Amino acid sequence: MSDLKSRFASKVLAMGGFVQDQMQKAVTALVDGNSALGQEVVVDDQKVNEMEIAIDEECSRILATRAPTAGDLRVIVTIIKTITDLERIGDESEKIGTSPRASPPWSARRTATAK
């Protein structure tokens, strides 16, 4: 099961890094009012959803076929909870990334209110 732990670790870390990049793009899109970048965040969210489904299915397959021990079961449950949280962060990134379409860049609003 230790090879599975390392395989899952790399997949979850890759998903986490991807979500981090997605959030960074979303914030940049919001601050700059960049709807094209916001659209990239929407596409990225689909990839995050696919990653979550793939990892979750693999965890479910292991639970169904291998009868993991208590320690391994805790690891698998932790992975499932982690990927669920990462997927939710991806959803929130999408909301943030798509919000600039309706409003001008923050910098334009700040200069307009400063006058």
Side-chain angles (χ1 to χ4, degrees):
M1 201 67 150
S2 80
D3 63 324
L4 288 174
K5 289 178 188 178
S6 64
R7 189 170 71 210
F8 276 122
S10 66
K11 289 180 181 185
V12 172
L13 287 172
M15 183 179 177
F18 191 82
V19 169
Q20 182 180 8
D21 292 343
Q22 181 192 21
M23 180 61 82
Q24 209 164 16
K25 285 183 192 176
V27 171
T28 301
L30 176 66
V31 171
D32 295 345
N34 185 338
S35 61
L37 188 57
Q39 200 56 36
E40 284 184 38
V41 174
V42 172
V43 172
D44 287 350
D45 188 52
Q46 289 301 316
K47 292 177 186 172
V48 170
N49 293 344
E50 291 168 8
M51 289 177 180
E52 191 251 350
I53 290 167
I55 296 169
D56 185 64
E57 286 176 351
E58 192 170 348
C59 286
S60 297
R61 196 170 23 259
I62 289 169
L63 289 172
T65 61
R66 297 201 182 178
T69 61
D72 293 334
L73 184 61
R74 283 191 291 274
V75 169
I76 292 170
V77 169
T78 301
I79 289 168
I80 292 170
K81 288 183 173 200
T82 301
I83 62 172
T84 301
D85 289 343
L86 288 171
E87 193 275 332
R88 287 182 188 151
I89 294 168
D91 290 344
E92 293 303 317
S93 296
E94 180 182 16
K95 290 178 189 175
I96 293 168
T98 55
S99 60
R101 292 186 202 159
S103 60
W106 283 47
S107 58
R109 280 189 265 156
R110 279 189 287 221
T111 53
T113 57
K115 293 180 182 182

PDB file of all heavy atoms in Angstrom, residues 13 22 24 71 89 114:
ATOM      1  N   LEU A  13      -0.943  16.388  -4.622  1.00  0.00           N
ATOM      2  CA  LEU A  13      -0.071  17.565  -4.678  1.00  0.00           C
ATOM      3  C   LEU A  13      -0.175  18.261  -6.031  1.00  0.00           C
ATOM      4  O   LEU A  13      -0.191  19.498  -6.099  1.00  0.00           O
ATOM      5  CB  LEU A  13       1.380  17.175  -4.396  1.00  0.00           C
ATOM      6  CG  LEU A  13       1.695  16.823  -2.942  1.00  0.00           C
ATOM      7  CD1 LEU A  13       3.110  16.270  -2.825  1.00  0.00           C
ATOM      8  CD2 LEU A  13       1.500  18.018  -2.042  1.00  0.00           C
ATOM      9  N   GLN A  22      -4.789  28.242 -10.311  1.00  0.00           N
ATOM     10  CA  GLN A  22      -6.124  28.685 -10.726  1.00  0.00           C
ATOM     11  C   GLN A  22      -6.581  29.875  -9.876  1.00  0.00           C
ATOM     12  O   GLN A  22      -7.103  30.851 -10.398  1.00  0.00           O
ATOM     13  CB  GLN A  22      -7.113  27.526 -10.605  1.00  0.00           C
ATOM     14  CG  GLN A  22      -8.525  27.881 -11.038  1.00  0.00           C
ATOM     15  CD  GLN A  22      -9.538  26.825 -10.639  1.00  0.00           C
ATOM     16  OE1 GLN A  22      -9.297  26.023  -9.729  1.00  0.00           O
ATOM     17  NE2 GLN A  22     -10.667  26.815 -11.314  1.00  0.00           N
ATOM     18  N   GLN A  24      -4.692  31.975  -8.288  1.00  0.00           N
ATOM     19  CA  GLN A  24      -3.851  33.114  -8.629  1.00  0.00           C
ATOM     20  C   GLN A  24      -4.360  33.799  -9.898  1.00  0.00           C
ATOM     21  O   GLN A  24      -4.448  35.023  -9.970  1.00  0.00           O
ATOM     22  CB  GLN A  24      -2.408  32.642  -8.813  1.00  0.00           C
ATOM     23  CG  GLN A  24      -1.376  33.655  -8.492  1.00  0.00           C
ATOM     24  CD  GLN A  24      -0.009  32.996  -8.331  1.00  0.00           C
ATOM     25  OE1 GLN A  24       0.232  31.858  -8.733  1.00  0.00           O
ATOM     26  NE2 GLN A  24       0.903  33.727  -7.727  1.00  0.00           N
ATOM     27  N   GLY A  71      -4.963   2.008   9.210  1.00  0.00           N
ATOM     28  CA  GLY A  71      -4.076   3.115   8.848  1.00  0.00           C
ATOM     29  C   GLY A  71      -4.257   3.540   7.403  1.00  0.00           C
ATOM     30  O   GLY A  71      -4.318   4.735   7.097  1.00  0.00           O
ATOM     31  N   ILE A  89     -12.481  24.789  -3.622  1.00  0.00           N
ATOM     32  CA  ILE A  89     -11.645  25.978  -3.837  1.00  0.00           C
ATOM     33  C   ILE A  89     -11.615  26.322  -5.326  1.00  0.00           C
ATOM     34  O   ILE A  89     -11.677  27.488  -5.710  1.00  0.00           O
ATOM     35  CB  ILE A  89     -10.219  25.757  -3.277  1.00  0.00           C
ATOM     36  CG1 ILE A  89     -10.268  25.625  -1.759  1.00  0.00           C
ATOM     37  CG2 ILE A  89      -9.291  26.902  -3.690  1.00  0.00           C
ATOM     38  CD1 ILE A  89      -8.971  25.118  -1.135  1.00  0.00           C
ATOM     39  N   ALA A 114     -11.466  58.267  -6.147  1.00  0.00           N
ATOM     40  CA  ALA A 114     -10.489  59.151  -5.518  1.00  0.00           C
ATOM     41  C   ALA A 114     -10.650  60.600  -5.969  1.00  0.00           C
ATOM     42  O   ALA A 114     -10.218  61.521  -5.294  1.00  0.00           O
ATOM     43  CB  ALA A 114      -9.074  58.679  -5.847  1.00  0.00           C
TER      44      ALA A 114
END
